[in-house]
Amino acid sequence: MKLNVLMLLLALVPGLTTGAELRVTPSMCALDESEDQCRVLVRLNFDADDEARYCLSIVGRGLVRCFFGDSEDLNVYVNSPEDIRFQVTADESGKSVAAAVLKVAQYQPKRHRRRYGWGLL
């Protein structure tokens, strides 16, 4: 009897979770020494198990657009001096379903220190 109950619970668990994933390409923006902001077109790919209505927003900036779970890739042009967090929420509840971050990094060339072998004397 316990085995049947355990098998029933295991069969129900996958149905309770929503498999959603958000991917951002490129995932990093490197700024040159002369640049102060990242200006790039990013592609967001959202995969969901259902065809419900979702909304994409940029945390701290607002709503980008709403779409259905079966939609194609979304292209968004961003202009920011710092990391950008994209968030997908369920339209009805506003509950966060998936998120991804575009990292912004300042490129700093590595300076090679030359050693002339004075330590040999």
Side-chain angles (χ1 to χ4, degrees):
M1 179 67 183
K2 287 184 180 181
L3 183 61
N4 289 339
V5 172
L6 182 60
M7 290 178 69
L8 178 64
L9 287 174
L10 288 175
L12 291 176
V13 169
L16 296 177
T17 61
T18 57
E21 183 180 6
L22 180 65
R23 290 181 301 277
V24 59
T25 306
S27 60
M28 178 175 280
C29 178
L31 300 178
D32 196 1
E33 293 175 344
S34 62
E35 297 176 312
D36 60 343
Q37 294 199 359
C38 173
R39 295 174 182 91
V40 67
L41 180 68
V42 295
R43 175 174 290 166
L44 298 162
N45 180 284
F46 178 69
D47 291 325
D49 291 341
D50 58 0
E51 296 181 8
R53 185 170 165 86
Y54 295 99
C55 292
L56 172 70
S57 60
I58 298 176
V59 176
R61 296 190 181 191
L63 180 69
V64 175
R65 68 177 267 201
C66 293
F67 56 92
F68 290 97
D70 63 346
S71 78
E72 68 279 352
D73 292 349
L74 303 170
N75 293 318
V76 179
Y77 181 79
V78 294
N79 184 1
S80 176
E82 57 192 22
D83 293 353
I84 300 171
R85 180 176 167 85
F86 297 95
Q87 184 173 5
V88 176
T89 57
D91 187 35
E92 299 83 24
S93 66
K95 178 184 172 189
S96 178
V97 175
V101 176
L102 172 68
K103 296 278 188 183
V104 177
Q106 183 73 38
Y107 173 74
Q108 298 174 349
K110 187 173 182 177
R111 298 177 189 225
H112 297 285
R113 188 173 172 203
R114 297 195 173 148
R115 305 181 93 166
Y116 292 106
W118 293 107
L120 296 175
L121 298 177

